[in-house]
Amino acid sequence: MRRFLVTILLLTVAACGGGSVPTGSVDPGGSLKVVTTSTVFADLIRNVGGDRVAVTSLVPRGVDVHTYQATPADLRAVASADLFVMNGLGLDDWLEKTIRSASNGAPIVKLGVDLEGVVLLPGETPVAQNPHLWLDVAYATLYATRIAARLQEMDTTHAAQIAVTSAAYVKKLADLDAWVREQVATIPAGNRQFVMF
């Protein structure tokens, strides 16, 4: 019965959703509606896209992306989105079915999939590799670059503006990485034990 009700809800939300913005054409006065799976990616998208994006994170701050259950409000956001951004690599793949069921056919970008030069660390079952690539600033920069490329492709009118915003953010990430490395260098090598995330 529950599966039936979820299916009806998905169909209703999808039927009520507006059309997606075709690639390369965005209302000049509007911004791209981007829906992502977590607040981490929402932050990346906002920093890259600036005022050219309106971002919604399906999973709220402080909630585990692995166990989150989509709400009717999430499904409405999905139905009106122009673009979906997720990590992939087993982190949030379970949400892809929900996105595809409720969306209007908007494209999906998987930030962690097929990144050139990325070395995947072993993960725990059922994930075959550690999907938390953005914790390495160099990989977060690759995420930002991938986001920028897709936003520029979809909003060609403001591609130059997105390029400037993106470049400023990439520089900010590089400065952060350099600062962290400087701080780490002050700790004797034998004492460098870190807990993160």
Side-chain angles (χ1 to χ4, degrees), residues 19-27 32 81-84 104-109 148-159:
S20 69
V21 176
T23 299
S25 93
V26 174
D27 176 4
L32 282 170
D82 301 316
L83 176 67
F84 300 101
N104 51 19
I108 297 175
V109 174
R150 192 51 184 243
L151 294 179
Q152 289 173 300
E153 188 179 294
M154 296 185 73
D155 188 359
T156 54
T157 304
H158 300 94

Side-chain angles (χ1 to χ4, degrees), residues 146-179:
R146 180 168 275 182
I147 292 165
R150 192 51 184 243
L151 294 179
Q152 289 173 300
E153 188 179 294
M154 296 185 73
D155 188 359
T156 54
T157 304
H158 300 94
Q161 178 185 342
I162 294 167
V164 169
T165 310
S166 173
Y169 184 53
V170 166
K171 182 185 182 315
K172 188 175 178 181
L173 289 175
D175 291 346
L176 172 64
D177 190 43
W179 179 83

Side-chain angles (χ1 to χ4, degrees), residues 129-142:
Q129 64 278 315
N130 186 329
H132 306 94
L133 301 181
W134 67 89
L135 294 175
D136 181 326
V137 178
Y139 294 167
T141 300
L142 293 177

